[in-house]
Amino acid sequence: MRVLASDFRLPAVLVEKAVAVALVEDLSEAGDITTVATVTPDATASGVIAARMPGVVAGLQAAEAAFRALDANVSFEVFIPDGGNVEAYQKIALVAGNARALLTAERVALNFLGHMSGIATLTRSYVDKTSGTRARITDTRKTTPGLRAFEKLAVRSGGGLNHRFGLFDAILIKDNHIIAAGSIGAALDKAREKTGHMVKVEIEIATLEELREALAHKPDAVLLDNMPLAMLKEAVAEVAGCVVTEASGGVNLDTVRAIAETGVDLISVGALTHSAAVLDIGLDFK
Amino acid sequence: MRVLASDFRLPAVLVEKAVAVALVEDLSEAGDITTVATVTPDATASGVIAARMPGVVAGLQAAEAAFRALDANVSFEVFIPDGGNVEAYQKIALVAGNARALLTAERVALNFLGHMSGIATLTRSYVDKTSGTRARITDTRKTTPGLRAFEKLAVRSGGGLNHRFGLFDAILIKDNHIIAAGSIGAALDKAREKTGHMVKVEIEIATLEELREALAHKPDAVLLDNMPLAMLKEAVAEVAGCVVTEASGGVNLDTVRAIAETGVDLISVGALTHSAAVLDIGLDFK
Amino acid sequence: MRVLASDFRLPAVLVEKAVAVALVEDLSEAGDITTVATVTPDATASGVIAARMPGVVAGLQAAEAAFRALDANVSFEVFIPDGGNVEAYQKIALVAGNARALLTAERVALNFLGHMSGIATLTRSYVDKTSGTRARITDTRKTTPGLRAFEKLAVRSGGGLNHRFGLFDAILIKDNHIIAAGSIGAALDKAREKTGHMVKVEIEIATLEELREALAHKPDAVLLDNMPLAMLKEAVAEVAGCVVTEASGGVNLDTVRAIAETGVDLISVGALTHSAAVLDIGLDFK
Amino acid sequence: MRVLASDFRLPAVLVEKAVAVALVEDLSEAGDITTVATVTPDATASGVIAARMPGVVAGLQAAEAAFRALDANVSFEVFIPDGGNVEAYQKIALVAGNARALLTAERVALNFLGHMSGIATLTRSYVDKTSGTRARITDTRKTTPGLRAFEKLAVRSGGGLNHRFGLFDAILIKDNHIIAAGSIGAALDKAREKTGHMVKVEIEIATLEELREALAHKPDAVLLDNMPLAMLKEAVAEVAGCVVTEASGGVNLDTVRAIAETGVDLISVGALTHSAAVLDIGLDFK
Amino acid sequence: MRVLASDFRLPAVLVEKAVAVALVEDLSEAGDITTVATVTPDATASGVIAARMPGVVAGLQAAEAAFRALDANVSFEVFIPDGGNVEAYQKIALVAGNARALLTAERVALNFLGHMSGIATLTRSYVDKTSGTRARITDTRKTTPGLRAFEKLAVRSGGGLNHRFGLFDAILIKDNHIIAAGSIGAALDKAREKTGHMVKVEIEIATLEELREALAHKPDAVLLDNMPLAMLKEAVAEVAGCVVTEASGGVNLDTVRAIAETGVDLISVGALTHSAAVLDIGLDFK
Amino acid sequence: MRVLASDFRLPAVLVEKAVAVALVEDLSEAGDITTVATVTPDATASGVIAARMPGVVAGLQAAEAAFRALDANVSFEVFIPDGGNVEAYQKIALVAGNARALLTAERVALNFLGHMSGIATLTRSYVDKTSGTRARITDTRKTTPGLRAFEKLAVRSGGGLNHRFGLFDAILIKDNHIIAAGSIGAALDKAREKTGHMVKVEIEIATLEELREALAHKPDAVLLDNMPLAMLKEAVAEVAGCVVTEASGGVNLDTVRAIAETGVDLISVGALTHSAAVLDIGLDFK
C-alpha cells in the first residue's frame, strides 16, 4: 500500500468518515446487487483513472480511501497529485485490486474526484486570470453542506487561499451585526473585547465613509462589498496597506482581472464552491 | 410552528441529521463568535428569503430545519413551495425568531436552498426542452457525496424522475459486468436468478447487436449509451415498447430535444446533480 | 488473515458497525471483567465452532468480524460456508488467536451465527417443502429492528429470495393506500406517475374482482393475500403469467406445499424472520 | 401527548436511537414511496393496535416512539400496558395522527411490539409453569445483537428476572476461565481480588466436587449446568441457602417444573430471547 | 420551559450530544435501577442547586439539558447565571419536574456544573490576581479529551480569554516546527504563505535573539516561554506594542502577578483546565 | 507494531472512539495547519514521553491509540506500564514514526496520559496512606462527563477499587429513594424484589438506628455517610462483618488514615476523579 504524501490531505478520520457515509449512501443494506450477481468474489481487476478534459486534480485522498474501504489491500499509484494539471485523457492514477471492490467503489471515488477537481479547476482559472497582480483568490462559506473541508482543500489545490472555515474561527462582521451592535465602531469594539488574541476580525464595508469609521477601530481586514472599480481603488488607497483588503460581489471570470488591478489583497468568489461544474474523470478497466 | 405539507419531503430524521452535520461544520465548538459578540441573546428578527434570479425552488424542508435547530419556536412561512417557479426578487419564504438563531443558521439554510434550487432549476430546463415528447428526464448516481437524497429530491422538484437511488435498489449491468459474466445473456440471467421479484434490471447497450441479444433475455430497461441519433431511433423501433428505453451520453441543453424526439422513454443527465450552478437565494432582514 | 470469499456478504462497513454495536452492548465501559480477572493478557487459544443440531449456516462474516474486532490477527478458517448444510456436531469453522479476545467475542459471534443460521434453516425447510413447484420462498419486512440486512442475507443463505428491503426500494400498495387513493386503479396510476422506471409496483389483492381491476392498470406484481386455495388457483390462471403472483397469509410448513401447487410465483413468509428459533451453535475451546 | 408512566421503560435516548435506526433501515433515503404516492400529506387517520392471539404485551414505549418520530403530535392511548395479558383481538392501544406518519411507522412499531411481546409471552409461560416453587425464571446473554435492553425489558414484562446485562456488570466464571486460572478456587480468588464490592461473582459448576470446591471460596451464586435432577437436588441441599443456586441446560416447557421443584433459586432459559416466536399484533385503521 | 439567555452558551446540538453521551455512560442499557425500584413513575419533585463553597458558576446550560433530556417539561429557574459569583450555600438554580427524571439526571448535571464551575472559579482567581495590569488570563489546549468547548466556556465564564480552540483555527509555531522548517524566519514565512488572511500566527520564543528574528518576519503574536521576569520585561519593551505578547511557563497563583507586571498582554495557564478542583455543588430535594 | 499486553486496558472500540473524538476536537476540518505549513509530509521523528514529576502512570493505551490513529505504523515502546511508579524525568515510553503524525497527535496523547496519570497518582496517595489497614480506596460517579471508563481505569492503575460504573450495574439507595419508598426497609425490599440475583444492593446510612433497620433487610453493603469516627467504629462493630462497610464524606489525605483505622472495608473518595491535578508529562523529540 502506498500512502500519498502531500500537503493536500485532510485528517484521515475525517476522510474515512465522509467516504463511509458516501459508500453507505450508495450501498445501503443490500449492497451492490449488480456486481454480486455478475462478478465472482475472488476476481481481480485494475483500471486507469483519467480525465476526459483538461483541468486540475483534487480529491485523490478520498478516492483512494473509497477503494481501500472495500479492499484494504488495493494498490493505488498516483501519476498526477492533487494540485497538478491534467491534460484530456492523461492518466491520473492506477488502481488495482479485488474486482468487486473496484466496481462497487468506482462511483463514490469518482464523485469525490470529479467534484473536487471541478472546484480546483475553476479556482485555477481565477488564479490564472489574476496572475501578476497582488490579489489572491479566496473562497467563502457558500459550500455544499457536509463537504466544506473537501471543497476548501480543492480550492487550495487550485491555488486559492482559504477564507475562514466557519463561524467559529474568525470574526466577519456584516451589516446585520452592525445594526444590532449600533454602529461599525461598536461592533468592532465588542468583537475585540469578547474574543481571544488568536482571532482575526474582518468587517464588511459598502462605502468610503464606512471604511473610515472601520479603520479607526482597527480591524484586521475589510471586506469591500460590491464596490464599483473606482471606489475600490480609492478604498485600497485609503487603507494604504494597514489592513488586509478583500473584494467581493460581482466577481466572475470576465471581471476578476479588473478587480485585481485595483490593488486589493484578496478577491472572494462564492462560485468556486457553489457553482463549479464537475471535471469529467472516468475509470477505465484494463 | 407551521409544518410544511408537501410531497417534496424527506424522512425528518434524515433531514435533521444532515442539517446538524452542516451546522456543526459551520459552528464547530466555538460557535458563531461574530453573532455572540455583536447581538444580544434575546433580540428577535425576521427576514425574507428571496431569489435574486428566476428559477425553481427546492430545499425548503432543510432550510426550515436549519433555523428550527437553533430556535425551536421559529416561524417559517412559505410562499413558493418546493417545485414552484420563482421570479427574480420574489419572496419564497418568511422566517422570524431569535435574531442570533437566524443569523447563525442563515448560511446553512441558504446553502441547502441554493444548491437544491440550482438542481431543480437545471432539471426544469431539461424538462421544458423536451416538453411534448414522451421522454422524461432522469438523474444518475453522479451526485455530491452525502447529499444524494437531497439532490434526488431536487430533481423531482424540477420535474425529473429519479433513476435508482444507489447500487442497492435496482440492477444496472454495465460493460465490465458483462465482461465478468461472459456475455450479455449470461449477465442478465445471473441478475434475474439472484435477485427478488421487486428488483428491476437494466442493461447498458452500445450497438443494435447488443440490443438484440439483451432483448432475448428480457431486461426491464435498456440504457442506450452514446448512440448516434439515427441508431437511437432504430433502437427504439426495435424495442417496440417492450422494455423501457433510456438514452445517455452527450446530453446537454442543445442536444436533448433531438434525443427526446427519437422516441426514447428516458434521458439521463449527470449534469443535473454534478454541474448545476447555485440558484442565488438570499435572506434579507427587515 | 483469510478473507471469506462468498456471495453471502454484506458491505464491510455495515457488518463492522453492527458488530461494534453488539460488542459495546456486551462490554459497556467496564469490559469483560471475568476474563480480565482470570485469563492472562498474552494467552492464546483456539476453538471449534460447531452446530449442536443439523441446519443451514449463515452469519460467518459477522462472526469473524466479532473476533477480529478484538484481535486483528485472529485466524478464522471456514469449513462450511454460509448457505451450506451442517450436520449435528459437524465443524463449521476454526478460530484461533488471543485467548481473552476469543472468550470476550464468543457470545456476540455466536449470537449472530445462531440467529442467522436459525433463519437460514427455517427458510431451507420452506424451500424444500416447495421443491419441484415454480414457487419461490420470499421474506417480508417483519424483521428484527436493526438487523434487516443480516436477516435478509440469512434468507438468501437458506435459498429464499428477498422481497423489497424497505419502504424505499419498491412500491407495495396495501388496502389503506387504496382507500386513501380512492381506488385500486387510482393508486396504481399515482404510483406509476410519481416513481422512476427502476421501481417495481406490487399491489395487495383480496378478491378476483380486485385482481381484474388491478391488472387493467399494469402492476409488476400482485400480492394475493389470504385467498383460499381455489381462489388462488383461479387468480393465477387469470393472471396468465402477465405479472408476478405472490401468495401470503396463513402460510406454514403444513400449508406451503398446497399453496405452491396453485402455481403462484412467490410465497412470502413472515415467520422466516420473526419466528425462527436459534440454530444451536457453540464454540468449544481445544 | 400522553407519556406512558410505567416501570417497563428504558432510558428515552436509548429508545429513540433504536427506533431511529429501525426507521432509517426501513426508509433509507427515498422514504416510503408508496405512501407518498398514494396518500395526501395532510390526511389524518387513527387505528387500533390489537393482538391476533393471546399473550403478554411488551414494547409499547418503542411502538409509541416510532409513531412519534414521524408525527410529534400523535396521540397514543394505551389500554393494556407492558406486562399485561391480552386476549386474542383485544385492543392494546389506539393511535391517531397524520395518516402518512402512521402508515410509514406502522411496521417498525409492530416489529418492536411483536418481537418484545413474543418474548414476554414465552417468559410468562415459563413463569406460570413454575408457580408455587421458589424458582424464578431468568434470561441469558443469548440475545439478538443490538436489542439486549429491549429483550431484557420484555423478559421483565413477562415476569422474569434479568440475569447480568453483559460481560461488564457481574462476573460469571465458566470452564475456560477456570482452566485459564488454574482451578476453581484460583479463579474465584482472582475474581474477588480484582473487582469492586458492588460486583457479584457466580461460577459454573458441573459436579458436586466442583460445587464443594467453589463453596469454599464463597461465590455469590453457583450456576449448576446440565445436572440431572437428582444431582441438582443434592446440590441445592449442599448449598443450604448460603449462595444463590441457578440451574441451566436442557430447560424447556416440559422440563422446567421438575427443575424448579429441586429447590433451585433460578432457572435460566436462553430460549426466552433467542427462540421466542413473534406475538402476532396488527394495526387496523378505522 | 425557560430558555437561558446568556452569552455563555454553546451550540445546542453540541450540548445535547455531550449530555446524551454522559447520560448513556451513566445509564447504559439497564437504566437507573435504584430509582425505578424505589420511586413511582409519576411522582414529582423539586430541588435546589446550591454550592457548598464560594466560587464562580459555569455549566448551567449543560445541567439544564441533562434534566430536560429525561423530562422535557422540567422547569429550571436560574438565580446565578454562568459567570456569576456564588457564596457558600447560596442558591444557584431551582429544578422541578418528574422525580425519577431529577434523581436520574442529578449526577450528570452536577458533574458538568461542578467541573465547569471549578474551572471558572480557578480562572477568576488568576484574573483577580492580575487586576489592574494589562495582562489577561488565557487557556491552553491542555483540556480534558472531549470537553474542550465546555472547558473553554468555563474559562470565559471566569473572566479569561480563550486561546485558539485547536490545531485548526490559528498557527502556533513551536520549537519542533522551527527545527523542521529550518529557522524561525523560514517557519514564519511558510506559515504566512500557506494560510489564509483570517488566520493568526504566533511563535514560541525562548530568547531575545529569537524574538528579534521573529519580529523581522511579522508574527501576530509571540509566546514568551519560561522567560525569567527580567528577560520578559525586556522582551515586552523590545516588542513595543507591535505584536501581542504572551507569557507561559511557571505560572501559578503566587507568580502570576509579577508576570503580569512585566507588561505582557496575555498569560496562558494550563492549570485552568487540567488541574482545577471541582466546585462542590449539590442538589437538595425539598 | 507492539500491542500493549496489560490488565489496564479498555475495549479497543471504546478507546479508538474516544481518541477519535479528541482528535476531531483538536483538528476540526482544517487539521493541524501549523504542522502542515512547516513540516514536510514524509519527515520522520521520534520522541521520549517522560514525566516532569514523580507519579503513577495511567493512560498508555489511549496515548498509543492517538499516535496510531494518525500513523498506523508508529512504533510505541513502553518502559513503565500503567500502574507503574515513575520518577521525575524518567522515560515512560518511546514513540517513533511520521513527524507530522507525532506532532499532531502529541497534545491529545498527553491530555489522556496526564489526566489519567494524575488520577492514578492521587489514588496511590490515598492507598499508601491506608496501607496496613483493611480499608480499600474506591471511586464514585463524580467523574468527568464522557470519560468515566478512562477515569475508573486510572483509579485501578493507582491501586484503587472501582465502585459501581453507573446507575445501571448496582443499586445504591440514598435518602431520596428512602423517602420515596417510605422507609429503609421498604426501599431495600423493593430493590431486592425488582432486580436480578447478580445485582448488589447498598444503602446510605447516617445513624446507628438506620443501620440497624437496614441490616434487618440484608443489604450487600452499607454506605456510612459523614459519620464521626466514633460512630463509624461503632457501626463497623455492629455490622460485625456481615455486610460490606463503606465510609464516605469528609475524606481527604489528612483524614483518610483515621477513617481507615475504624475498620471499614472501603473508603470512597470523589476527589480521585473530580479534583486530581494533572501529572505533568511531556514529549521530547530527539
Side-chain angles (χ1 to χ4, degrees), chain F residues 12 15-16 19-20 23 59-70 76 105:
Chain F
V15 175
E16 284 162 16
V19 162
L23 285 170
L60 285 167
Q61 183 189 15
E64 179 178 355
F67 292 113
R68 200 167 301 291
L70 296 191
F76 192 82

Side-chain angles (χ1 to χ4, degrees), chain B residues 7 17 136 138 156 161-165 168-172 192-202 220-221 244 246 266, chain C residues 7 17 136 138 156 161-165 168-172 192-202 220-221 244 246 266:
Chain B
D7 278 3
K17 196 174 159 190
R136 298 199 60 177
T138 189
R156 294 199 298 280
L161 267 194
N162 291 148
H163 210 292
R164 59 177 180 163
F165 259 69
F168 58 89
D169 60 338
I171 282 190
L172 178 44
R192 279 289 180 228
E193 179 200 337
K194 292 219 187 164
T195 47
H197 72 294
M198 295 307 273
V199 175
K200 288 219 175 173
V201 177
E202 182 167 6
D220 292 295
V244 171
E246 174 185 352
L266 287 154
Chain C
D7 278 4
K17 195 173 162 193
R136 297 198 60 179
T138 189
R156 293 200 297 280
L161 268 193
N162 290 148
H163 210 293
R164 61 177 179 163
F165 258 70
F168 58 89
D169 60 338
I171 283 190
L172 178 45
R192 279 287 179 227
E193 179 201 337
K194 294 219 187 166
T195 48
H197 70 296
M198 295 307 274
V199 175
K200 288 219 173 173
V201 177
E202 183 168 6
D220 293 294
V244 171
E246 174 186 352
L266 287 155

Side-chain angles (χ1 to χ4, degrees), chain D residues 175-227:
Chain D
D175 45 2
N176 290 299
H177 301 114
I178 295 169
I179 292 167
S183 71
I184 285 176
L188 281 167
D189 291 352
K190 287 185 181 188
R192 278 289 178 226
E193 179 201 336
K194 293 218 187 167
T195 49
H197 72 295
M198 296 306 274
V199 175
K200 288 219 175 172
V201 177
E202 182 168 6
I203 188 160
E204 191 179 309
I205 290 298
T207 67
L208 295 176
E209 289 67 38
E210 288 177 9
L211 175 62
R212 282 166 211 136
E213 185 181 350
L215 291 177
H217 292 264
K218 301 199 174 156
D220 293 294
V222 288
L223 174 58
L224 307 164
D225 191 44
N226 270 314
M227 283 190 176

Side-chain angles (χ1 to χ4, degrees), chain F residues 211-222:
Chain F
L211 175 62
R212 282 167 211 134
E213 185 182 349
L215 291 177
H217 292 264
K218 302 198 175 160
D220 293 294
V222 289

Side-chain angles (χ1 to χ4, degrees), chain E residues 49-280:
Chain E
I49 295 175
R52 278 89 160 95
M53 49 171 72
V56 178
V57 175
L60 284 166
Q61 182 189 16
E64 179 178 355
F67 292 113
R68 198 165 303 290
L70 297 191
D71 177 1
N73 300 313
V74 83
S75 90
F76 192 83
E77 195 181 354
V78 173
F79 304 113
I80 304 182
D82 278 42
N85 286 300
V86 62
E87 297 304 311
Y89 302 103
Q90 198 181 353
K91 284 186 199 178
I92 298 171
L94 185 69
V95 61
N98 177 274
R100 283 189 174 182
L102 299 198
L103 284 164
T104 300
E106 174 185 2
R107 178 56 27 225
V108 167
L110 294 180
N111 283 350
F112 274 102
L113 207 48
H115 182 68
M116 292 176 68
S117 298
I119 291 171
T121 302
L122 183 59
T123 302
R124 184 69 51 89
S125 304
Y126 278 92
V127 169
D128 289 348
K129 285 275 184 188
T130 55
S131 75
T133 71
R134 68 174 289 112
R136 298 200 58 179
I137 300 300
T138 189
D139 49 34
T140 66
R141 285 169 47 246
K142 296 178 179 175
T143 54
T144 318
L147 290 180
R148 187 169 290 167
F150 294 85
E151 297 184 341
K152 293 239 168 198
L153 178 73
V155 167
R156 294 199 300 279
S157 302
L161 268 195
N162 290 148
H163 210 292
R164 61 177 180 163
F165 259 69
L167 296 165
F168 57 90
D169 59 339
I171 283 190
L172 178 44
I173 299 170
K174 302 196 178 177
D175 47 1
N176 290 298
H177 302 114
I178 295 170
I179 292 167
S183 71
I184 284 175
L188 281 167
D189 292 352
K190 287 186 182 187
R192 278 287 180 228
E193 178 201 338
K194 293 217 186 168
T195 49
H197 72 295
M198 296 306 274
V199 175
K200 290 221 173 170
V201 176
E202 181 167 7
I203 188 161
E204 190 178 312
I205 290 299
T207 67
L208 295 176
E209 291 67 38
E210 287 177 9
L211 176 62
R212 284 166 209 134
E213 185 181 348
L215 291 178
H217 293 264
K218 302 201 174 155
D220 293 294
V222 289
L223 174 58
L224 307 165
D225 191 42
N226 269 314
M227 285 189 176
L229 287 179
M231 194 193 294
L232 207 50
K233 203 172 289 185
E234 213 171 329
V236 170
E238 198 134 345
V239 166
C242 291
V243 305
V244 172
T245 52
E246 174 185 353
S248 72
V251 185
N252 57 50
L253 284 169
D254 294 330
T255 62
V256 70
R257 178 86 203 171
I259 296 171
E261 289 174 344
T262 63
V264 293
D265 297 307
L266 287 155
I267 303 171
S268 52
V269 189
L272 299 185
T273 53
H274 68 49
S275 296
V278 81
L279 185 71
D280 190 1

Side-chain angles (χ1 to χ4, degrees), chain D residues 35-242:
Chain D
T35 297
V36 167
T38 55
V39 181
T40 54
D42 289 327
T44 59
S46 70
V48 169
I49 295 174
R52 278 88 160 97
M53 49 172 71
V56 177
V57 174
L60 284 166
Q61 183 189 14
E64 179 178 355
F67 292 113
R68 198 165 304 289
L70 297 190
D71 176 2
N73 300 312
V74 83
S75 90
F76 192 82
E77 194 181 356
V78 173
F79 304 113
I80 303 182
D82 278 42
N85 286 300
V86 62
E87 297 304 310
Y89 301 103
Q90 199 182 351
K91 285 185 199 180
I92 296 171
L94 186 69
V95 60
N98 177 272
R100 283 189 174 182
L102 299 198
L103 284 164
T104 299
E106 174 186 0
R107 177 59 24 227
V108 167
L110 295 179
N111 283 349
F112 273 102
L113 206 49
H115 182 67
M116 291 175 69
S117 298
I119 290 171
T121 302
L122 183 59
T123 303
R124 183 69 51 90
S125 303
Y126 278 92
V127 168
D128 289 349
K129 283 277 184 186
T130 54
S131 75
T133 70
R134 68 174 289 113
R136 297 199 61 178
I137 300 300
T138 189
D139 50 34
T140 67
R141 286 171 44 245
K142 296 179 178 175
T143 56
T144 318
L147 292 179
R148 186 169 290 166
F150 294 85
E151 297 183 342
K152 293 239 169 199
L153 179 73
V155 167
R156 293 199 298 279
S157 303
L161 268 194
N162 290 149
H163 209 293
R164 60 177 180 164
F165 259 70
L167 295 165
F168 57 90
D169 59 338
I171 283 191
L172 178 44
I173 299 170
K174 300 195 178 177
D175 45 2
N176 290 299
H177 301 114
I178 295 169
I179 292 167
S183 71
I184 285 176
L188 281 167
D189 291 352
K190 287 185 181 188
R192 278 289 178 226
E193 179 201 336
K194 293 218 187 167
T195 49
H197 72 295
M198 296 306 274
V199 175
K200 288 219 175 172
V201 177
E202 182 168 6
I203 188 160
E204 191 179 309
I205 290 298
T207 67
L208 295 176
E209 289 67 38
E210 288 177 9
L211 175 62
R212 282 166 211 136
E213 185 181 350
L215 291 177
H217 292 264
K218 301 199 174 156
D220 293 294
V222 288
L223 174 58
L224 307 164
D225 191 44
N226 270 314
M227 283 190 176
L229 289 178
M231 194 194 294
L232 207 50
K233 203 172 291 184
E234 213 170 331
V236 170
E238 198 133 345
V239 166
C242 290

